[in-house]
Amino acid sequence: MLRIDKLDVRYGDSKVIQDVTFEVGTQECVALMGRNGMGKTTLLKAIIGMHPSHAGSVRLESVELANLPSYERVRQGLAFVPQGRMIFPLLTVEQNIQAGMENSGGGEIPQYVFDFFPVLHEMRLRKGGNLSGGQQQMLAIARALVSNPKVLILDEPTEGIQPSIIKELARTLNALRKERGFSILVSEQVLSFALEVADRVIVIDRGSFVHEERREQLDEEKVKAFLTV
Amino acid sequence: MSLEIAFMQLFNGVSLFTILLLMALGLAIVFGLMGVINMAHGELMALGAYVTYLTALAFQAVAPGAMEIYLFVAIPMAFGVTFLFGYVLEKGFICWFYNRPLDTLLATWGLSLILQQAYRSIFGAQEVSVPLPTWLTGAWEPVDGIQLPLNRIFIIGLTIVVAVSVYLLLYRTRWGLRMRAVTQNRAMSAAVGIDTKKVDARTFALGSGLAGIAGAVFTMVGSTNPGTGQLYIVDSFIVVVFGGVQSLIGTVMSAFAIAQTQTSLEYLLSGSLAKATILLLVIVVLYFRPNGLFAVKQRS
C-alpha cells in the first residue's frame, strides 16, 4: 500500500531522517514510536509533503509521490492529522470538515462522520478555534476522513488529550479502520495507545529505525527503554 | 444645526463611507486575509481608473452615442484588467515573498514606483478625467434644501452590490471556503487537499480586481494622475488595520466609523484638522486595542 524507500530528510545540512525504509500494508496500522526530537514528525511531514525530502521514494500503491505537492498526495489517497491538530480556527466545525472534501468536490458532509463523532454535529456551527483539545482532535480526524483516504497518517493524536478521551480515540480509530478499510500510520509516545491500535510497532531513534515488532510479539520493556530519557 | 444640514452631513458620511469601503475591500482581502503588505495596492486602483479613462476614450471614438452607458462596460473592464494583472503579479512576483513581510513591503513599494513611472510614461504627468454620463450629473432633491449628488448615490449603490458580492463569494461558495482556509493556514490547507497556489493567485487577483473597481469609481469624483494611488493607499491601510485584520465586518464598521467621524469633524473644524484628529483617534484606539476594533477572538 504505502512504501517508503531509503528516505532522507534534512534541515539544512543536518540529517534528521536517514535511509528509512518501511511499508504500511492494506488495512494495516503501524505505530511509529520514539522520544521527542527523534524525527517522527519530520518523517510524517515528509511523507505528506509538508517538508521536502532530500532523497528516497514515497510510493502509494504504484504512484510515486515524493515530488508531488501535499494536495496532490491527498488526491492520491493520503490524509494527515497533524500534531497540534492545526484545525482552521476561524472556520466553523462544519466548514473545517468541508475544507477536507476536495477529493469529492465538496457537498454535504457524509453522515458516518457524525455517527462516529456526534459531538461534532452538536458543535457544527461553532468556530474550530473555540473547541477543546479533544474536540479539535476529533475534528482534525473527521477533516482527514472525508477525503476518503487509503492511508490515514496521524501525528501524536493523544498529545494534550485527557486519558478517558484517549481510550475513546483508540476505539474510534479501530472502528473507523474496520468500517472504512484504510491503513493507518500513527506516531506516538503513549505505548498503551499504540498497543490498542497498532498491528506493528516501529521505534525511531535519532532519525533511524532501531526496533520493529508485531504487536503480539512486542517486548514492551524494550520499547519503553527507547521512550524514556 | 438644522435638520437639512444634519441630513446632508449624514449623507456625506455615508458617501465617504462607501468610498473608503471600496478602497479598503480589496486591501482587506490582500492584506487582511492573505497577510500581503501590498504597497502597490494604490497603483492597482490607479490602473482601474486608467482603464476607465481608456474605455471612455474608446467609446467617444467608436460609439459616442453610447457614452451614457460606458460605465457599465468600464467598471467590469477595470475589474477584469486589474484581476488579470493581479493574477500575473501574484504568479510572477508576490508568490516569492510569502511569510516575508518586510521583503514584501519593500518589493511592493518598488513595484508601486515602477507602476507610477509606467503611468507617467504612457499617460503623461498631467491629470486625466472622464466625462460623467448625463444621468449621473446633477442632484436628486427629495425635499427642498436637500440635494443628493447623483454620482454619489450611484457609488453608494455600487458599493452595496460589490460588498454583498464579496460577502457571498467568501462565505457562501466553495471557492470562498478554500480562500479562507488557505489564508488561515497555507501548509495545512495543502495537507487537506487544497491547491494552495491556485487559491493564492485567485485571492490576490480578487483583491486587485476590487482595487480596480475602486479606481473606476474614483474617476466619478476626481481626476486621475500617476500618483493618484498614493492618495488612497494610506486611508485604505488605516481602515483595514483600525477594523481589525482578518475581519471583513471590521473593515465595514471601521470605514463607517471613520467616515462619519471625519465628516462630522469637517463640519466643526477645517478639513486638515479633521483628518489629523481622525489619525490621532485611530492611534489612541489602536494603543488600547492593538488588533483593531473587531479583532477575531479565539480560544488560545
Side-chain angles (χ1 to χ4, degrees):
Chain A
M1 172 68 60
L2 175 67
R3 177 154 180 88
I4 312 300
D5 211 13
K6 296 183 175 165
L7 194 70
D8 270 13
V9 186
R10 296 179 182 183
Y11 284 117
D13 290 335
S14 126
K15 290 182 179 175
V16 183
I17 299 295
Q18 299 171 66
D19 203 27
V20 159
T21 297
F22 71 106
E23 191 163 359
V24 181
T26 306
Q27 291 195 41
E28 187 189 21
C29 177
V30 174
L32 201 58
M33 306 211 64
R35 293 197 306 274
N36 280 338
M38 292 298 115
K40 302 188 297 295
T41 296
T42 304
L43 174 56
L44 297 190
K45 280 189 171 177
I47 293 172
I48 193 67
M50 287 175 91
H51 194 283
S53 51
H54 181 73
S57 156
V58 177
R59 190 172 281 270
L60 181 64
E61 292 174 330
S62 58
V63 184
E64 177 57 56
L65 306 179
N67 296 316
L68 297 180
S70 298
Y71 58 86
E72 281 291 351
R73 300 187 194 204
V74 174
R75 212 164 285 169
Q76 294 298 331
L78 297 186
F80 187 47
V81 179
Q83 189 175 22
R85 278 81 71 175
M86 283 198 203
I87 51 138
F88 303 113
L90 304 180
L91 299 186
T92 64
V93 165
E94 201 166 58
Q95 290 164 347
N96 262 280
I97 299 171
Q98 283 167 339
M101 295 172 68
E102 283 293 299
N103 281 359
S104 54
E108 287 293 305
I109 297 168
Q111 185 54 40
Y112 76 84
V113 172
F114 294 129
D115 291 342
F116 276 103
F117 304 109
V119 69
L120 296 183
H121 189 261
E122 287 164 30
M123 304 208 163
R124 65 191 184 282
L125 299 179
R126 192 176 287 193
K127 290 254 166 67
N130 293 334
L131 301 185
S132 70
Q135 289 161 349
Q136 286 189 355
Q137 192 59 269
M138 293 178 206
L139 178 56
I141 295 172
R143 183 182 60 184
L145 281 180
V146 289
S147 67
N148 294 321
K150 293 170 186 163
V151 180
L152 179 65
I153 301 170
L154 303 102
D155 191 4
E156 300 212 23
T158 63
E159 188 197 37
I161 308 289
Q162 54 177 300
S164 62
I165 308 273
I166 291 178
K167 280 205 164 295
E168 175 77 32
L169 192 61
R171 271 197 297 274
T172 307
L173 278 179
N174 285 332
L176 274 168
R177 179 157 67 114
K178 197 171 170 190
E179 186 182 308
R180 309 297 304 170
F182 49 69
S183 310
I184 294 179
L185 173 62
V186 57
S187 83
E188 253 310 324
Q189 290 196 60
V190 179
L191 184 58
S192 59
F193 177 81
L195 292 175
E196 292 252 2
V197 296
D199 302 310
R200 193 153 48 97
V201 172
I202 299 175
V203 181
I204 182 169
D205 192 64
R206 294 189 188 90
S208 301
F209 287 173
V210 291
H211 188 72
E212 181 175 347
E213 263 178 323
R214 296 207 62 79
R215 179 178 55 185
E216 306 84 60
Q217 288 108 40
L218 192 76
D219 181 347
E220 288 190 31
E221 292 310 313
K222 197 169 181 182
V223 175
K224 277 180 188 165
F226 282 112
L227 298 178
T228 49
V229 181
Chain B
M1 191 194 288
S2 71
L3 201 62
E4 286 86 1
I5 292 176
F7 185 81
M8 282 308 295
Q9 278 300 117
L10 184 69
F11 178 79
N12 287 338
V14 171
S15 176
L16 180 60
F17 156 60
T18 53
I19 287 177
L20 285 178
L21 184 58
L22 267 183
M23 276 162 47
L25 261 181
L27 196 68
I29 289 172
V30 168
F31 172 58
L33 294 182
M34 296 180 78
V36 176
I37 305 173
N38 183 14
M39 297 301 287
H41 193 76
E43 278 60 48
L44 295 174
M45 291 189 212
L47 178 61
Y50 278 120
V51 169
T52 308
Y53 167 68
L54 289 176
T55 311
L57 287 185
F59 266 75
Q60 275 174 334
V62 179
M67 276 303 286
E68 289 296 300
I69 56 158
Y70 87 92
L71 272 178
F72 293 103
V73 177
I75 292 171
M77 280 286 286
F79 175 79
V81 170
T82 46
F83 182 96
L84 279 177
F85 185 77
Y87 190 87
V88 173
L89 194 61
E90 199 282 337
K91 282 282 186 194
F93 187 72
I94 299 290
C95 70
W96 304 103
F97 294 101
Y98 286 126
N99 300 319
R100 292 162 59 189
L102 286 178
D103 296 348
T104 311
L105 190 144
L106 276 176
T108 56
W109 182 62
L111 178 70
S112 82
L113 295 179
I114 292 169
L115 287 174
Q116 282 177 49
Q117 188 52 48
Y119 299 151
R120 202 166 284 121
S121 302
I122 298 167
F123 299 102
Q126 75 282 12
E127 299 198 322
V128 297
S129 54
V130 298
L132 271 183
T134 53
W135 55 274
L136 278 182
T137 53
W140 177 46
E141 198 170 346
V143 290
D144 278 348
I146 292 181
Q147 291 195 327
L148 308 178
L150 290 171
N151 60 342
R152 297 283 179 152
I153 294 174
F154 179 78
I155 293 172
I156 291 171
L158 181 68
T159 306
I160 292 170
V161 171
V162 170
V164 170
S165 304
V166 168
Y167 173 82
L168 292 176
L169 181 71
L170 281 178
Y171 294 94
R172 293 283 183 273
T173 66
R174 178 131 195 101
W175 190 37
L177 178 66
R178 287 188 194 115
M179 209 185 283
R180 286 182 295 141
V182 172
T183 54
Q184 284 174 51
N185 191 328
R186 186 171 283 113
M188 195 58 227
S189 296
V192 299
I194 296 173
D195 184 343
T196 51
K197 286 182 181 167
K198 199 186 274 182
V199 172
D200 281 335
R202 288 180 182 180
T203 308
F204 190 85
L206 174 68
S208 304
L210 291 171
I213 293 181
V217 164
F218 296 150
T219 62
M220 293 180 221
V221 290
S223 48
T224 305
N225 66 56
T228 294
Q230 295 297 302
L231 298 175
Y232 306 137
I233 189 74
V234 176
D235 282 341
S236 305
F237 268 107
I238 289 174
V239 169
V240 174
V241 173
F242 186 61
V245 175
Q246 286 210 328
S247 168
L248 279 184
I249 292 293
T251 300
V252 175
M253 298 310 288
S254 161
F256 187 79
I258 289 175
Q260 287 299 344
T261 312
Q262 187 165 324
T263 48
S264 303
L265 288 174
E266 277 172 359
Y267 179 74
L268 301 168
L269 310 165
S270 69
S272 51
L273 205 55
K275 188 85 180 169
T277 312
I278 286 288
L279 286 174
L280 193 66
L281 282 174
V282 168
I283 290 168
V284 170
V285 171
L286 289 179
Y287 178 79
F288 290 104
R289 293 180 67 90
N291 294 323
L293 276 182
F294 291 84
V296 180
K297 291 190 181 76
Q298 55 181 297
R299 194 173 177 144
S300 58

